[in-house]
């Protein structure tokens, strides 16, 4: 890779993620001091220390104010005004902007008590500060994220103020300047809303954790480990790129940073084994962008979903995991097919050949050992907590430290990985590679353990994971020198080097967060405007009009709008914007059309298509980043990446109609079946798109594969044609029908009437069977619902406050005009049998063709 190309890549990443300025002297010291101070503040807020010491306790809102004050000051000294600005010096105007912008944020913290005494009644001083703050947020957004998000936020501000002058279809009464500033700046409905709260509480710590891992060498470890396992196979470097990008994406908050972090290593290796510049870049883009849909972080969207949907973090992760894993497996399969088509080889392997049976045996033994070890650890910690109660935390911490010392002693017996080696000619040895970085798995295990086993908050979980990584970062070099019996000077140098790495990681984590914090604030303007103006209802009307009531066309239009809205936006802001604008559209129109979808499915749908904007030309920033590394054409790279990503675009449509893919209300063994069948379906779909399986597909084989993939993913489509999924129940039998339901079933009701804002509406809803006892037909007391019989309907007479009925959308004076229950019909999975038979026949036919061609 040329020096010039390196510079272009670095400039692209810096301008998007950390700021293009590279300061010197006192200005650099100030920047480093502020970024490190910001990281220390966030660690303090997330830790239990304030409550233990009864000192430095900040409320959630106060922490948001301080968090954003740091971001506002840093954005104007880290990001130049434009490409022509001095990148080694801060201009006088930027100093003024930084001071004024941070003052507008600090104002809210300093005058917090006074502002709390005048809610909704800002004085002139409040309005002036807020108006200046909003304008500087727009400028900060332009600098750190480019024009797209700044333009969107500005348009929504204009729409809020000049709503009465808009065309009649989107017009509203408009809001005054006082009302705008109060809503957007002084309350927690706009800039300082849920999005910035999540940035403060969760996102910063996870971004910092990723920076600590990267600085400690974990990123290089993940990449080299993936190459040592997959590099020798056909197209191995490309397969390793997919896995490495997936591992990096576990904690990465930026698809562009993911592309460059792994791409500078993987793209040249893919080129070396025969991939074109565009295909090498496209593989990296597809796998890196997919990293944003991979739990546990999902580009910080996972934590936002918890707040927006109102379900637990573990539920979000459970639902998001299977589609992301299937998407990665199918991408590896796509890479395999590409490699086979072009005859690409892997990296030469000098190690002794091991039989497939022996490999499988070793894998099973390793899996069983890890399972037993995990159980013993879980049992031991549970026993310690039961016996020692409050003192258990100290015993667990001591055990973790002892384990780390033992692991680092083992690791010190192996040579350190060379981070500069990006052009391997010989396959890395797996044992050497894996064992040299074994200690990097410890903080990842701590993170997952705290999140999934201990059920700690994401904030506290990331604090413990980051703390463990800080300890590793500072101590690993010195301990390795000690265990290797090196000189005292080497140990001292190891300590100093570790401390330097820590400061660099704290700075990198904070600089990575500047753009994310500004993005959540700017996206908060959009969310605030939607709430203040009701534009969400207007968008629903527009999509309904253009879709002509067809639910599938509605989903396609929504997907296209998410692609447009997501262009040029970082992951966090991307999700906030599309979820605020487009998720309510799917919910409302789905209810009107009889498609009732869990909220998590809706939010994942819009999130997937928002993320696809990073791939899709003409704006796809990740494609431009990959092209800068591969020296390929960015538009062709983006188009190829889009083709590779079609499997990801298919998944949201599937889990809207088939929520089994999200593991909603399914048993563990049925979840395994769904995973296996869905994986086969996506591989078949990938084969159809690549027009290749064993040999080149005939045109009709690709068409059949598309049909088979659809059948495997949504078998109920064909069954619905023969057996309708619901059957009508007479209105007077609603009580008996409800009482006869299984606990997992629901009544499907069609409701006619008016919604909360007085608009006439017709929609469908599900009445779940969650309670055993049901009263008479007029009194559904357990659900907070009272019904009165009419001639052709049931009138909703009473809906109790905060009752299950109110949460389901029931309103006073609405009418239930139809009741449906699930039909008794054959299992839809019967359609899987002919599908698998067809796959087998086509595979057999292609194997015969390949044999004839060889002969």
């Amino acid at each position: 890779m040329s020096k010039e190309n390196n510079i272009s890549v670095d400039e692209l990443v810096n301008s998007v993620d950390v700021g293009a300025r590279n300061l010197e002297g006192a200005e650099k010291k100030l920047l480093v001091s502020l970024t490190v101070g910001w990281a220390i503040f966030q660690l303090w807020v997330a830790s239990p220390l304030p409550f233990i010491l009864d000192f430095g306790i900040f409320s959630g809102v106060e922490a948001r104010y301080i968090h954003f004050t740091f971001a506002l000051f840093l954005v104007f000294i880290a990001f130049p005004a434009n490409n022509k600005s001095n990148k080694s010096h801060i201009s006088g105007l930027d100093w003024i902007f930084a001071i004024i912008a941070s003052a507008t944020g600090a104002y809210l913290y300093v005058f917090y008590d006074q502002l709390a005494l005048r809610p909704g009644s800002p004085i002139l001083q409040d309005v002036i500060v807020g108006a200046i703050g909003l304008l500087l947020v727009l400028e900060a957004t332009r600098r750190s994220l480019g024009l797209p998000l700044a333009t969107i936020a500005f348009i929504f501000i204009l729409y809020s103020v000049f709503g009465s002058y808009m065309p009649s279809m989107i017009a509203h009464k408009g809001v005054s300047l006082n009302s705008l500033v109060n809503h957007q700046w002084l309350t927690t409905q706009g800039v300082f809303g849920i999005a910035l709260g999540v940035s403060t509480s969760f996102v910063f710590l996870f971004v910092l954790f990723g920076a600590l891992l990267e600085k400690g060498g974990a990123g290089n470890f993940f990449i080299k480990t993936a190459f040592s396992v997959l590099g020798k196979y056909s197209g191995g470097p490309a397969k390793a790129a997919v896995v490495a990008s997936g591992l990096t994406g576990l904690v990465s908050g930026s698809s562009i940073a993911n592309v460059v972090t792994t791409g500078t290593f993987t793209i040249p290796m893919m080129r070396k084994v025969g991939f074109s510049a565009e295909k090498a870049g496209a593989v990296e883009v597809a796998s890196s962008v997919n990293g944003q849909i991979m739990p546990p972080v999902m580009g910080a969207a996972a934590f936002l979903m918890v707040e927006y949907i109102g379900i637990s973090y573990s539920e979000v992760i459970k639902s998001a995991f299977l589609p992301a894993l299937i998407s990665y497996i199918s991408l590896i399969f796509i890479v395999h097919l590409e490699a086979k088509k072009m005859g690409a080889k892997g990296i030469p392997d000098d190690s002794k050949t091991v039989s497939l049976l022996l490999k499988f045996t070793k894998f099973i033994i390793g899996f069983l050992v890890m399972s037993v070890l995990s159980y013993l650890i879980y049992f031991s910690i549970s026993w310690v907590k039961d016996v020692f109660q409050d003192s258990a935390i100290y015993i667990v911490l001591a055990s973790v430290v002892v384990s780390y010392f033992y692991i680092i002693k083992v690791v010190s017996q192996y040579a350190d990985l060379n981070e500069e080696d990006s052009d391997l000619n010989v396959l890395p040895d797996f044992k050497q590679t894996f064992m040299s970085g074994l200690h990097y798995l410890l903080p990842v295990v701590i993170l997952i353990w705290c999140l999934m086993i201990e059920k700690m908050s994401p904030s506290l979980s990331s604090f413990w994971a980051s703390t463990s990584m800080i300890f590793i970062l500072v101590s690993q070099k010195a301990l390795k020198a000690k265990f290797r019996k090196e000189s005292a000077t080497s140990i001292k140098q190891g300590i100093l080097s570790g401390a330097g790495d820590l400061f660099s990681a704290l700075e990198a984590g904070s600089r990575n967060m500047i753009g994310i914090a500004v993005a959540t604030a700017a996206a908060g303007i959009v969310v605030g405007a939607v709430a203040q103006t009701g534009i969400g209802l207007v968008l629903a009307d527009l999509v309904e009009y253009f879709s002509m009531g067809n639910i599938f066309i509605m989903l396609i239009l929504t997907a296209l709008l998410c692609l447009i809205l997501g262009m040029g936006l970082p992951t966090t802001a991307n999700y906030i914007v599309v979820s605020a604008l487009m998720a309510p559209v799917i919910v409302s129109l789905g209810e009107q059309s009889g498609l009732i979808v869990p909220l998590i499915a809706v939010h994942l749908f819009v999130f997937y298509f928002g993320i696809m904007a990073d791939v899709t030309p003409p704006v796809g920033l990740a494609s431009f980043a990959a092209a800068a590394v591969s020296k390929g054409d960015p538009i062709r790279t983006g188009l190829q990446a889009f083709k590779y990503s079609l499997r990801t675009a298919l998944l949201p449509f599937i889990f809207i109609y088939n929520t089994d893919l999200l593991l909603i209300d399914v048993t563990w063994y049925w979840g395994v079946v769904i995973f296996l069948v869905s994986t086969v379906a996506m591989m078949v779909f990938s084969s159809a798109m690549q027009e290749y399986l064993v040999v080149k597909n005939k045109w009709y084989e690709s068409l059949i594969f598309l049909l088979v993939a659809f059948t495997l993913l949504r078998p109920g489509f064909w069954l619905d044609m023969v057996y309708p999924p619901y059957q009508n129940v007479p209105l007077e039998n609603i009580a008996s029908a409800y009482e006869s339901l299984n606990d997992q079933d629901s009544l499907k009701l069609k409701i006619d009437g008016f919604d909360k804002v007085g608009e006439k509406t017709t929609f469908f809803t599900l009445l779940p069977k969650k309670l055993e006892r049901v009263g008479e037909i007029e009194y559904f007391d357990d659900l907070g619902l009272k019904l009165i019989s009419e001639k052709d309907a049931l009138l909703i007479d009473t809906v109790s406050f905060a009752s299950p009925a109110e949460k389901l959308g029931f309103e006073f004076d609405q009418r239930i005009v139809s009741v449906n229950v699930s039909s008794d019909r054959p299992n839809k999975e019967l359609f899987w049998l002919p599908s698998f038979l067809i796959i087998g026949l086509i595979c057999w036919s292609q194997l015969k063709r390949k044999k004839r061609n060889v002969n």
Side-chain angles (χ1 to χ4, degrees):
M1 195 186 313
S2 68
K3 183 179 180 182
E4 291 78 7
N5 202 43
N6 260 327
I7 293 172
S8 65
V9 174
D10 292 341
E11 287 180 348
L12 176 61
V13 177
N14 288 341
S15 64
V16 173
D17 282 334
V18 301
R21 276 205 174 109
N22 187 15
L23 300 175
E24 300 172 351
E27 290 179 338
K28 179 178 182 179
K29 291 179 180 178
L30 175 66
L31 177 61
V32 172
S33 299
L34 287 173
T35 51
V36 171
W38 191 14
I40 292 172
F41 168 76
Q42 295 290 161
L43 286 166
W44 174 266
V45 171
S47 76
L49 289 176
F51 302 98
I52 295 173
L53 302 175
D54 195 24
F55 168 77
I57 299 174
F58 299 93
S59 69
V61 176
E62 289 175 321
R64 292 181 200 183
Y65 295 154
I66 299 173
H67 172 83
F68 197 49
T69 298
F70 269 109
L72 284 174
F73 190 90
L74 288 168
V75 72
F76 287 105
I77 66 174
F79 290 85
N82 52 57
N83 291 332
K84 296 180 181 179
S85 300
N86 192 324
K87 294 181 175 60
S88 60
H89 176 67
I90 304 171
S91 68
L93 183 61
D94 286 346
W95 277 115
I96 294 172
F97 278 173
I99 292 169
I100 295 176
S102 58
T104 61
Y107 175 85
L108 298 172
Y109 176 74
V110 173
F111 296 98
Y112 180 72
D113 293 334
Q114 291 92 318
L115 290 168
L117 296 175
R118 49 177 186 267
S121 303
I123 61 176
L124 180 60
Q125 176 179 299
D126 300 337
V127 175
I128 293 173
V129 171
I132 294 173
L134 284 174
L135 290 174
L136 289 175
V137 166
L138 293 177
E139 169 59 12
T141 305
R142 184 196 67 80
R143 289 187 179 215
S144 59
L145 304 162
L147 277 175
L149 182 56
T151 303
I152 291 172
F154 184 61
I155 288 172
F156 273 89
I157 289 177
L158 292 179
Y159 176 72
S160 298
V161 176
F162 299 106
S164 58
Y165 300 98
M166 297 292 169
S168 58
M169 178 172 276
I170 62 171
H172 64 94
K173 65 179 182 179
V175 299
S176 66
L177 179 62
N178 280 22
S179 179
L180 174 75
V181 171
N182 178 71
H183 186 81
Q184 293 284 11
W185 192 263
L186 302 178
T187 70
T188 56
Q189 302 297 314
V191 170
F192 296 94
I194 289 175
L196 191 64
V198 171
S199 172
T200 306
S201 303
F202 307 143
V203 180
F204 192 106
L205 268 295
F206 277 90
V207 171
L208 179 61
F209 180 58
L212 290 165
L213 281 171
E214 181 62 31
K215 196 63 182 177
N220 186 47
F221 165 70
F222 290 148
I223 294 171
K224 296 287 180 66
T225 302
F227 266 84
S228 68
V229 175
L230 298 170
K232 65 182 176 182
Y233 298 107
S234 177
K239 294 173 184 175
V242 175
V243 175
S245 296
L247 292 172
T248 304
L250 291 175
V251 292
S252 171
S254 168
S255 54
I256 298 167
N258 202 354
V259 165
V260 177
T261 300
T262 57
T264 50
F265 180 84
T266 59
I267 289 175
M269 293 303 300
M270 285 188 269
R271 295 292 311 278
K272 188 175 180 179
V273 296
F275 281 75
S276 67
E278 286 75 23
K279 286 189 176 182
V283 169
E284 183 57 48
V285 169
S287 53
S288 293
V289 171
N290 260 197
Q292 302 301 284
I293 67 173
M294 177 62 76
V297 178
M298 297 167 60
F303 315 117
L304 288 161
M305 287 180 188
V306 171
E307 300 295 328
Y308 287 163
I309 302 174
I311 61 177
S312 68
Y313 175 80
S314 59
E315 285 295 314
V316 171
I317 297 306
K318 185 182 77 171
S319 295
F321 178 70
L322 209 57
L325 181 60
I326 292 170
S327 182
Y328 264 110
I329 292 174
S330 59
L331 181 56
I332 292 174
F333 186 65
I334 287 173
V335 167
H336 175 75
L337 296 179
E338 284 281 19
K340 286 296 183 182
K341 283 195 292 184
M342 68 179 66
K345 304 296 183 182
I347 302 173
D349 183 12
D350 293 339
S351 62
K352 190 168 54 177
T353 303
V354 181
S355 69
L356 185 63
L357 178 61
L358 183 57
K359 289 181 181 178
F360 181 73
T361 303
K362 287 183 175 180
F363 173 79
I364 293 297
I365 293 173
F367 177 78
L368 291 175
V369 169
M370 290 302 299
S371 298
V372 172
L373 183 61
S374 300
Y375 176 78
L376 289 175
I377 293 173
Y378 177 78
F379 176 80
S380 300
I381 293 177
S382 300
W383 178 81
V384 168
K385 288 194 294 186
D386 290 339
V387 173
F388 295 96
Q389 302 296 326
D390 294 340
S391 302
I393 182 65
Y394 303 107
I395 298 173
V396 173
L397 286 174
S399 301
V400 171
V401 172
V402 171
S403 300
Y404 166 66
F405 275 95
Y406 176 75
I407 292 171
I408 206 71
K409 182 179 180 181
V410 174
V411 167
S412 64
Q413 299 173 19
Y414 298 86
D416 295 334
L417 293 176
N418 182 4
E419 295 190 20
E420 302 301 323
D421 185 6
S422 60
D423 189 26
L424 295 175
N425 294 307
V426 180
L427 189 74
D429 179 72
F430 171 72
K431 183 178 180 182
Q432 160 68 33
T433 304
F434 182 74
M435 295 304 293
S436 66
L438 188 61
H439 55 302
Y440 295 129
L441 299 179
L442 186 60
V444 177
V445 170
I446 290 173
L447 175 65
I448 296 173
W449 184 278
C450 291
L451 283 171
M452 309 305 293
I453 305 299
E454 299 296 336
K455 304 293 184 184
M456 294 181 184
S457 69
S459 177
L460 190 56
S461 300
S462 58
F463 167 76
W464 287 118
S466 298
T467 302
S468 64
M469 192 59 218
I470 288 172
F471 185 69
I472 291 173
L473 195 61
V474 172
S475 65
Q476 62 173 342
K477 293 180 180 178
L479 287 174
K480 286 180 183 178
K482 174 70 174 175
F483 288 124
R484 289 168 179 167
K485 297 181 179 179
E486 296 177 7
S487 66
T489 303
S490 298
I491 297 173
K492 183 179 178 180
Q493 288 176 345
I495 295 174
L496 294 175
S497 177
D501 289 342
L502 173 59
F503 271 85
S504 297
L506 294 176
E507 180 192 1
S510 294
R511 291 193 68 163
N512 286 335
M513 266 305 300
I514 298 172
I516 296 174
V518 172
T520 56
I525 293 175
V526 177
V527 174
V530 170
Q532 195 171 24
T533 63
I535 183 63
L537 298 175
V538 176
L539 280 174
D541 291 339
L542 287 172
V543 173
E544 182 182 21
Y545 174 78
F546 286 108
S547 66
M548 298 171 289
N550 184 290
I551 194 70
F552 185 70
I553 296 176
M554 179 270 289
L555 290 174
I556 291 177
L557 288 174
T558 304
L560 290 174
L561 286 171
C562 289
L563 272 173
I564 295 169
L565 289 169
M567 287 182 177
L569 302 189
T571 303
T572 313
N574 192 322
Y575 169 67
I576 296 168
V577 171
V578 297
S579 64
L581 293 175
M582 303 314 304
V585 172
I586 298 179
V587 172
S588 60
L589 296 185
E591 288 177 348
Q592 293 173 27
S593 305
L595 178 67
I596 303 170
V597 186
L599 268 178
I600 181 64
V602 173
H603 280 252
L604 285 174
F605 181 94
V606 298
F607 177 55
Y608 270 50
F609 281 104
I611 288 300
M612 287 286 287
D614 272 350
V615 177
T616 313
V619 181
L621 293 179
S623 298
F624 278 84
V629 178
S630 69
K631 304 178 187 177
D633 180 81
I635 300 299
R636 289 174 60 191
T637 300
L639 291 173
Q640 186 67 51
F642 180 75
K643 181 180 178 182
Y644 289 157
S645 299
L646 282 174
R647 82 221 181 276
T648 306
L650 174 65
L651 284 169
F653 285 97
I654 297 304
F655 58 59
I656 284 287
Y657 288 102
N658 184 9
T659 56
D660 284 356
L661 195 60
L662 302 181
L663 301 180
I664 297 176
D665 297 328
V666 298
T667 58
W668 70 267
Y669 54 84
W670 188 244
V672 172
V673 173
I674 290 294
F675 165 67
L676 294 174
V677 173
S678 299
T679 301
V680 171
M682 291 305 297
M683 293 171 75
V684 168
F685 174 80
S686 300
S687 175
M689 297 308 299
Q690 295 301 117
E691 300 179 353
Y692 193 93
L693 184 58
V694 180
V695 294
K696 182 176 175 58
N697 295 346
K698 296 183 182 295
W699 67 267
Y700 59 83
E701 290 177 333
S702 293
L703 289 178
I704 292 172
F705 272 163
L706 289 175
L707 186 64
V708 167
F710 176 77
T711 302
L712 290 174
L713 290 168
R714 199 185 165 219
F717 177 83
W718 307 111
L719 188 63
D720 291 348
M721 292 182 173
V722 183
Y723 294 94
Y726 289 96
Q727 61 183 16
N728 190 263
V729 173
L731 291 172
E732 61 270 19
N733 295 340
I734 183 173
S736 58
Y738 184 79
E739 200 167 60
S740 62
L741 290 176
N742 296 322
D743 289 343
Q744 292 77 27
D745 291 335
S746 305
L747 291 182
K748 187 175 183 180
L749 308 179
K750 185 177 182 180
I751 310 294
D752 193 7
F754 297 89
D755 59 20
K756 290 184 178 181
V757 295
E759 297 288 339
K760 187 170 179 59
T761 182
T762 298
F763 65 95
F764 290 83
T765 190
L766 297 177
L767 191 62
K769 177 66 177 294
K770 292 185 178 179
L771 302 172
E772 294 182 0
R773 184 180 62 80
V774 178
E776 299 298 327
I777 182 171
E778 293 85 8
Y779 300 97
F780 283 77
D781 294 332
D782 293 327
L783 298 171
L785 190 64
K786 182 178 180 180
L787 305 175
I788 297 177
S789 298
E790 289 188 340
K791 182 179 179 181
D792 297 320
L794 292 171
L795 180 67
I796 298 175
D797 184 56
T798 303
V799 180
S800 300
F801 176 73
S803 64
E806 184 185 53
K807 294 177 182 177
L808 289 169
F810 290 103
E811 293 288 335
F812 167 73
D813 215 29
Q814 290 177 342
R815 299 164 70 246
I816 300 175
V817 295
S818 72
V819 179
N820 294 276
V821 296
S822 298
S823 301
D824 185 16
R825 58 183 192 160
N827 291 330
K828 63 181 184 291
E829 288 76 19
L830 289 173
F831 287 93
W832 286 350
L833 298 177
S835 299
F836 281 116
L837 179 61
I838 291 171
I839 293 172
L841 289 173
I842 293 178
C843 287
W844 176 72
S845 174
Q846 291 202 7
L847 285 169
K848 286 184 65 178
R849 293 210 303 271
K850 181 179 181 180
K851 187 175 181 180
R852 284 199 302 268
N853 292 337
V854 170
N855 294 334

